[in-house]
């Protein structure tokens, strides 16, 4: 755990350090309770503030980031799937975002240009919350691809960001947790696309950032 809250979190190295510092507590506390994906998102936000010492005005949850005329192939394809009246852009909504100080605590939807340009880290969270069912590789790989596409959009605007896939596989029954094969498939894709990969279950953990 870091000793004191950053006055400002200026760069990606500091943001990664905050996440690594919070990760042990994120693992232990999220695995200590059985809850919904949204509940784990809130716990992760709280622990990044408490253990990672991320400043209050630099961390948001469920941040809507409308992107006009996306350039990444995936976002363009997802845009085309919508009714023609609603085409022309795509709106990723990362579960947790750490921003540069210049965001000034304003990540409202109307501030979409600034949120795209001022991200340090975007985190997507998945959790095992379904009865008699596992998290499927297809849903996680799509999220990993979305994270990579989101970074591509930011880079095209001259910004930088680091995307992270974070999985809380807290199910008590082994038959409701990801298989080793599925987990490795997702980890490998994240590595190929240079997306961070964090995984916690009662028997395994990974911290690849």
């Amino acid at each position: 755990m870091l000793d004191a809250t950053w006055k400002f979190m200026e760069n990606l190295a500091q943001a990664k350090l905050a996440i690594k510092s919070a990760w042990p507590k994120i693992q232990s506390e999220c695995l200590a309770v059985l809850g919904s994906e949204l509940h784990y998102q809130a716990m992760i936000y709280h622990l990044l503030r408490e253990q990672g010492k991320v400043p209050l005005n630099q961390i948001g949850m469920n941040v809507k980031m409308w992107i006009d005329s996306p350039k990444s192939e995936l976002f363009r394809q997802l845009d085309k799937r919508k009714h023609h009246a609603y085409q022309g852009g795509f709106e990723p909504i990362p579960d947790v975002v750490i921003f540069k100080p210049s965001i000034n605590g304003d990540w409202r939807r109307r501030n979409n240009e600034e949120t795209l340009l001022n991200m340090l880290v975007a985190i997507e969270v998945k959790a095992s919350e379904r009865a008699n069912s596992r998290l499927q590789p297809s849903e996680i790989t799509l999220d990993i691809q979305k994270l990579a596409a989101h970074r591509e959009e930011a880079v095209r605007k001259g910004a930088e960001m680091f995307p992270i896939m974070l999985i809380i596989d807290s199910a008590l029954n082994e038959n409701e947790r990801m298989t080793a094969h599925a987990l490795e498939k997702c980890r490998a894709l994240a590595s190929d696309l240079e997306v961070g990969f964090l995984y916690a279950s009662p028997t395994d953990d990974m911290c690849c950032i």
Side-chain angles (χ1 to χ4, degrees):
M1 184 176 119
L2 299 172
D3 292 333
T5 301
W6 300 94
K7 183 176 181 181
F8 298 111
M9 189 162 286
E10 301 277 2
N11 55 53
L12 187 51
Q14 293 173 336
K16 286 184 176 181
L17 177 58
I19 294 164
K20 289 178 180 177
S21 298
W23 179 237
K25 275 286 191 180
I26 290 172
Q27 285 181 274
S28 62
E29 295 202 4
C30 287
L31 293 177
V33 298
L34 298 171
S36 68
E37 200 166 274
L38 186 59
H39 182 79
Y40 290 128
Q41 290 173 22
M43 292 181 73
I44 291 162
Y45 170 94
H46 167 72
L47 291 165
L48 285 171
R49 290 272 296 120
E50 182 184 72
Q51 301 292 314
K53 305 301 181 183
V54 180
L56 175 65
N57 62 356
Q58 287 184 242
I59 183 168
M61 274 185 64
N62 302 118
V63 181
K64 295 181 178 180
M65 299 188 187
W66 175 262
I67 299 172
D68 283 313
S69 302
K71 302 297 188 293
S72 63
E73 182 61 26
L74 178 61
F75 284 0
R76 288 170 61 192
Q77 291 301 319
L78 292 173
D79 180 35
K80 289 177 182 177
R81 292 182 190 177
K82 298 182 295 187
H83 187 280
H84 67 86
Y86 299 102
Q87 292 179 8
F90 186 73
E91 187 169 68
I93 310 175
D95 295 322
V96 180
V97 182
I98 299 175
F99 291 100
K100 297 174 185 175
S102 47
I103 198 67
N104 290 321
D106 184 359
W107 40 84
R108 292 172 295 177
R109 190 182 191 189
R110 72 187 74 174
N111 205 26
N112 58 312
E113 280 290 327
E114 293 302 312
T115 52
L116 183 63
L117 291 172
N118 287 285
M119 283 186 291
L120 288 172
V121 172
I123 302 173
E124 194 67 34
V125 178
K126 277 284 183 282
S128 52
E129 56 178 320
R130 306 185 196 106
N132 303 312
S133 180
R134 309 174 191 266
L135 283 169
Q136 297 301 310
S138 58
E139 59 188 312
I140 294 171
T141 55
L142 179 58
D143 274 352
I144 291 170
Q145 291 165 343
K146 284 181 179 178
L147 284 163
H150 200 171
R151 176 181 54 207
E152 181 181 339
E153 299 291 346
V155 169
R156 284 177 179 273
K157 294 281 189 178
E160 66 167 350
M161 61 86 90
F162 186 66
I164 295 176
M165 184 75 238
L166 193 160
I167 302 169
I168 303 296
D169 207 3
S170 57
L172 298 179
N173 298 327
E174 187 177 353
N175 64 1
E176 293 181 348
R177 296 199 296 268
M178 294 180 71
T179 65
H181 175 74
L183 180 58
E184 176 55 24
K185 180 179 179 180
C186 295
R187 186 212 60 77
L189 177 64
S191 177
D192 289 345
L193 296 180
E194 298 184 331
V195 172
F197 193 79
L198 300 176
Y199 175 84
S201 80
T203 57
D204 292 292
D205 76 89
M206 295 182 184
C207 181
C208 305
I209 57 172

